[in-house]
Amino acid sequence: MYRFNLNKKLSLLVISILFSVNSFAADTTKQSTAVTWEKNKPYSFTILHTNDHHGRFWQNDIGEYGLAAQKTVVDQIRKEVAEKGGKLLLLSGGDINTGVPESDVLQAKPDFIGMNDIGYDAMAVGNHEFDHPLTVIREQQKWARFPFLSANTYFKNTDNRVFDAYKMFDLNGIRVAVFGLTTDDTILLTSPKNTEGIEFRKTLPEAEKVISQIKSNEHPDMIIAVTHMGHYENGEHGSMAPGDVALARGLKPGELNMIVGGHSQNPVCMASPNKLITDYVPGTPCAPDQQNGTWIVQAHEWGKYIGRADFVFLNGKITLQNYQLIPINLKKEVDNGNGTKRLEYYTSEIQQNQNLLETLRPYQEQGKQQLLTKTGELIGRLEGERNVVRYQQSNMGQLLLSALIEKTNADVGIMAGGMIRDSLIEGDITYRDILKVEPFGNSVVYFDLTGHELVEYLKVALSKKQGSGGYTHLKNITLTKTGDTISDIKINNEPIDMQKSYRITTLDYLAAGGDGYPATNRLPTYVDTGYRDADVIKQYFEAHSPINAADYEPTNFILEQ
C-alpha cells in the first residue's frame, strides 16, 4: 500500500526552519455578515494540486505518472481527509493540452474524462489551451465537469471575460474563493489565429479587481489564485511576463492566501527564502514558497507529482500544517555494479485504478497503429531538452531547420527554442516520436527579405534572452554579435548582400509575430505551404534515413564579442 505521508515529520521541520511565520490570517473585516464557522472550533481541509498536464493521461513507457495512478492517490487522500471530518479541493494550474500525440489527436478528450473521474474542482486556463481555437476550448469545457478560470482573459475591447473569473467552495462552512489568472504572455505564445478577438490583460490589476469583487460579494474566509503564470525565483522573470512571486509581492500583505501555480514547470521547493532547491529529489521534503503572506506552490509537470497542502482554520486564522509533493511512480536509475543499470521507484509503487485505466485504454489504442509506424532511423541522439534548446543551438534545431529549408528551397531557416519539445534517441523513429518533438501543428511558411531587411529581422530575433521560449535557432547563417550589434553576417558562407533577396523559412506561429518576432505574414512574398511541421519532419526522415545526429551538430556560428 502506498503511504502518502512520506517524510511528513521531516517536511514539517523543514517548513518551520525555513519560515518563521507558518500561518496567515484571512481578512475577516467583511465576514461578520456571512460567518458560517463556529468560534473556537478548528476546521481541517486539504488542497491538492497539479499543473502542466500536457496530455499525459496515460503512463509513460516505464510506468511513470498517468491519471489512473493519480486517481489511486487522490482517492486515498480524499478518504483519509473525510474520515477526519475534513474537506478537499483538487485544482489544476492549467495547460491540459499539447504534448502527447494520443491526446493531441483527440483534442485532450481522454484527459478531461480522466480529470472528471478523479474529481478536479477547477483549473486555470493555460496558454496551451489556446493551441486550439475557442470553438475547441468550448467543446473541452463541455467535456469537463469543473470550471475553466481566468479573470484576465477578455474579449477584445469589451468588459466581457472569456471564462469565469472565480468559483466559490464551501468546505464544511469555510468559504473558499478560487480565482484564475493566465499569463499575459499568451498572446505571444500561441498562434494569433487562435486568439483573434481575445486579449490577456495584466495579471496584477485584474487580481486586485477580482479580489475586491470577491470580498464585496462573497465574504470569503480564504482566497486562492489558481494561475498559469510561472514561478520565478525571487521574482526574476527576465523577458517573460511577471509570475506568481511578483503577483504576491504586488498585492497588499495577506490579501491572497495561496497561489496554486503552473507554466514554469518546476517543483516549487525552497532551500531558503527566495532560493529554490535546484535539483529536487522525488519523495524528499518540500517547503513551498512564501511571499508577502501568500503561500506559492507548483507541482512540476505532467502529473509527476500531486501537491498536498493540509490547513487548519481557527477563528479566522489559517495555518499550513503540512506540505508535500507526492511522486506518482517516478523512477530512478540504479547502478547494478556490473556495468548495467536498473530502474527503481523513488517511493513505493502506486497501483493504477483499474476502472479508470480501462476507461482510458480505448483512447490510448485509438491512434497507436498510425502513430507507431516506422518513419525512419536515427544514429545517436538529437537533443531537444528544454534546458538546452532555450539556451543554446542544438543538433535537433539544425535537423528541424534542415527539413524546413529542404521543403521550401529557402536560404535561411529560423525557429524558436520553445517550439522544440522533446529529444529523439537512437533507433527506429515513428511519427509519434516526431509529434512529441513538434506537437503544435504549425504550418511551414516562407517569405523573402532583402539583406537589409534580414539584418533588421535578426536584431529582433537575437534579442530574445536565453531561457525564454523565444531563444533563436538559426541555420545557414554565421555572424558576430557585440552587445545589441550584429556584423560579419554570412549566408551560406557568402557575405550578406544588402540588396539581394533571401528566402526565409519558419513556422506560421513566428511569422504571425509569436514570441515577439517581427510579423511577416502580411508580406507580399509570404507563402503558407499548408504543410504541418511534423509532416515535413516525417518526410525528411523518410528521405534521409538513417540520419546521423553527428551530421547536425551546430557550429559556433554566433560569435559573441
Side-chain angles (χ1 to χ4, degrees):
M1 179 63 68
Y2 174 66
R3 298 185 181 274
F4 48 76
N5 281 321
L6 175 70
N7 288 325
K8 182 173 181 179
K9 291 182 180 179
L10 184 55
S11 181
L12 286 169
L13 177 62
V14 171
I15 291 174
S16 64
I17 291 173
L18 292 182
F19 303 108
S20 59
V21 179
N22 70 346
S23 64
F24 44 77
D27 185 343
T28 59
T29 57
K30 295 184 179 180
Q31 292 179 355
S32 58
T33 60
V35 169
T36 54
W37 42 267
E38 296 179 25
K39 189 175 181 180
N40 299 326
K41 177 182 176 180
Y43 294 81
S44 297
F45 60 93
T46 295
I47 308 296
L48 302 182
H49 63 96
T50 62
N51 57 276
D52 293 273
H53 173 76
H54 288 299
R56 266 73 178 186
F57 71 90
W58 199 256
Q59 67 272 21
N60 70 2
D61 294 341
I62 60 171
E64 296 179 310
Y65 45 85
L67 293 182
Q70 185 183 124
K71 179 174 171 58
T72 298
V73 175
V74 172
D75 284 353
Q76 289 177 356
I77 297 174
R78 199 184 298 276
K79 180 181 178 182
E80 174 209 333
V81 170
E83 287 175 347
K84 294 180 179 180
K87 280 287 190 76
L88 181 150
L89 280 182
L90 175 55
L91 305 173
S92 168
D95 267 11
I96 308 305
N97 289 284
T98 309
V100 177
E102 288 87 346
S103 171
D104 295 345
V105 297
L106 298 171
Q107 298 173 332
K109 186 173 183 178
D111 306 274
F112 288 107
I113 288 173
M115 292 173 73
N116 287 339
D117 196 43
I118 294 169
Y120 277 78
D121 293 293
M123 63 169 268
V125 175
N127 58 286
H128 281 291
E129 271 52 270
F130 287 94
D131 290 342
H132 299 294
L134 187 57
T135 52
V136 173
I137 299 174
R138 293 301 193 216
E139 189 68 20
Q140 292 177 332
Q141 288 180 280
K142 293 177 183 177
W143 295 334
R145 295 199 296 264
F146 49 87
F148 291 28
L149 301 178
S150 181
N152 68 311
T153 304
Y154 285 82
F155 290 106
K156 195 171 289 185
N157 302 320
T158 76
D159 290 325
N160 300 320
R161 291 185 171 106
V162 179
F163 306 96
D164 290 339
Y166 70 91
K167 171 78 172 179
M168 293 299 302
F169 297 93
D170 187 328
L171 304 184
N172 287 338
I174 307 304
R175 294 176 57 78
V176 177
V178 178
F179 72 91
L181 292 171
T182 304
T183 179
D184 43 89
D185 271 351
T186 298
I187 201 69
L188 302 175
L189 298 175
T190 193
S191 174
K193 64 186 178 184
N194 292 342
T195 56
E196 188 174 354
I198 295 173
E199 59 182 333
F200 302 88
R201 297 181 184 172
K202 298 297 182 183
T203 51
L204 178 58
E206 290 300 319
E208 292 171 332
K209 182 193 299 185
V210 76
I211 289 172
S212 177
Q213 180 185 357
I214 289 169
K215 286 186 173 183
S216 297
N217 297 342
E218 309 292 352
H219 311 294
D221 300 305
M222 182 180 190
I223 301 178
I224 300 173
V226 59
T227 71
H228 195 82
M229 295 164 48
H231 179 277
Y232 306 111
E233 185 179 73
N234 201 25
E236 297 174 357
H237 56 88
S239 61
M240 293 166 277
D244 295 331
V245 173
L247 173 67
R249 290 176 176 177
L251 295 168
K252 296 176 183 177
E255 188 90 335
L256 180 60
N257 302 126
M258 185 180 192
I259 296 174
V260 172
H263 187 50
S264 52
Q265 298 180 225
N266 55 324
V268 175
C269 300
M270 307 306 292
S272 58
N274 295 316
K275 184 65 177 176
L276 279 165
I277 296 174
T278 54
D279 294 307
Y280 175 72
V281 177
T284 59
C286 174
D289 200 357
Q290 189 185 61
Q291 298 285 339
N292 202 24
T294 301
W295 292 105
I296 305 175
V297 299
Q298 189 177 154
H300 202 181
E301 63 186 1
W302 304 356
K304 292 178 178 178
Y305 301 92
I306 295 174
R308 175 178 181 173
D310 297 301
F311 293 98
V312 170
F313 179 96
L314 179 64
N315 296 331
K317 183 179 180 180
I318 304 169
T319 302
L320 176 62
Q321 287 201 319
N322 174 62
Y323 183 76
Q324 60 187 135
L325 287 181
I326 302 168
I328 306 300
N329 284 338
L330 298 185
K331 296 178 180 179
K332 57 186 175 183
E333 282 191 350
V334 177
D335 197 330
N336 290 321
N338 58 0
T340 64
K341 295 182 179 181
R342 68 183 186 276
L343 290 172
E344 286 187 357
Y345 291 101
Y346 279 98
T347 54
S348 303
E349 179 182 3
I350 302 165
Q351 296 299 317
Q352 298 186 84
N353 180 281
Q354 288 301 307
N355 288 336
L356 181 53
L357 191 68
E358 293 310 313
T359 296
L360 297 176
R361 189 180 302 279
Y363 297 102
Q364 175 69 7
E365 297 294 333
Q366 189 167 334
K368 183 175 288 187
Q369 294 309 311
Q370 176 185 352
L371 294 171
L372 292 181
T373 301
K374 179 179 176 180
T375 293
E377 187 177 346
L378 174 64
I379 300 169
R381 175 186 173 93
L382 291 171
E383 185 60 67
E385 295 303 309
R386 181 188 182 100
N387 61 357
V388 174
V389 297
R390 297 189 181 212
Y391 291 86
Q392 64 191 56
Q393 305 296 311
S394 73
N395 57 4
M396 177 68 83
Q398 292 299 291
L399 177 128
L400 299 179
L401 290 172
S402 295
L404 269 58
I405 288 171
E406 182 171 286
K407 189 67 177 179
T408 60
N409 195 29
D411 299 298
V412 172
I414 298 175
M415 69 187 307
M419 308 173 91
I420 304 171
R421 307 303 283 197
D422 208 346
S423 300
L424 292 175
I425 61 176
E426 183 166 319
D428 291 345
I429 301 300
T430 66
Y431 187 44
R432 181 183 187 275
D433 296 325
I434 294 169
L435 283 169
K436 289 173 71 176
V437 176
E438 292 290 299
F440 302 122
N442 289 304
S443 292
V444 176
V445 304
Y446 62 87
F447 50 89
D448 293 342
L449 296 177
T450 65
H452 175 75
E453 291 169 335
L454 178 55
V455 171
E456 297 304 309
Y457 183 100
L458 290 171
K459 287 179 181 178
V460 177
L462 293 174
S463 71
K464 306 304 172 185
K465 295 185 181 299
Q466 288 183 315
S468 73
Y471 177 77
T472 303
H473 287 249
L474 301 170
K475 186 167 180 64
N476 292 351
I477 299 179
T478 60
L479 54 88
T480 300
K481 187 171 184 288
T482 308
D484 294 331
T485 302
I486 56 177
S487 59
D488 301 325
I489 303 172
K490 293 183 178 180
I491 308 297
N492 284 313
N493 298 318
E494 294 290 333
I496 190 169
D497 184 336
M498 294 300 178
Q499 307 305 317
K500 182 180 176 179
S501 180
Y502 295 95
R503 176 173 289 183
I504 316 302
T505 185
T506 186
L507 301 176
D508 63 339
Y509 165 71
L510 289 188
D515 276 325
Y517 276 66
T520 54
N521 60 350
R522 296 189 182 278
L523 293 174
T525 57
Y526 176 80
V527 175
D528 185 333
T529 67
Y531 292 112
R532 176 177 169 149
D533 48 5
D535 292 333
V536 171
I537 308 307
K538 176 175 178 285
Q539 291 167 11
Y540 191 83
F541 264 94
E542 290 171 341
H544 296 282
S545 285
I547 282 177
N548 191 336
D551 295 338
Y552 296 87
E553 288 301 320
T555 56
N556 188 22
F557 54 81
I558 300 179
L559 302 177
E560 300 275 357
Q561 288 190 346

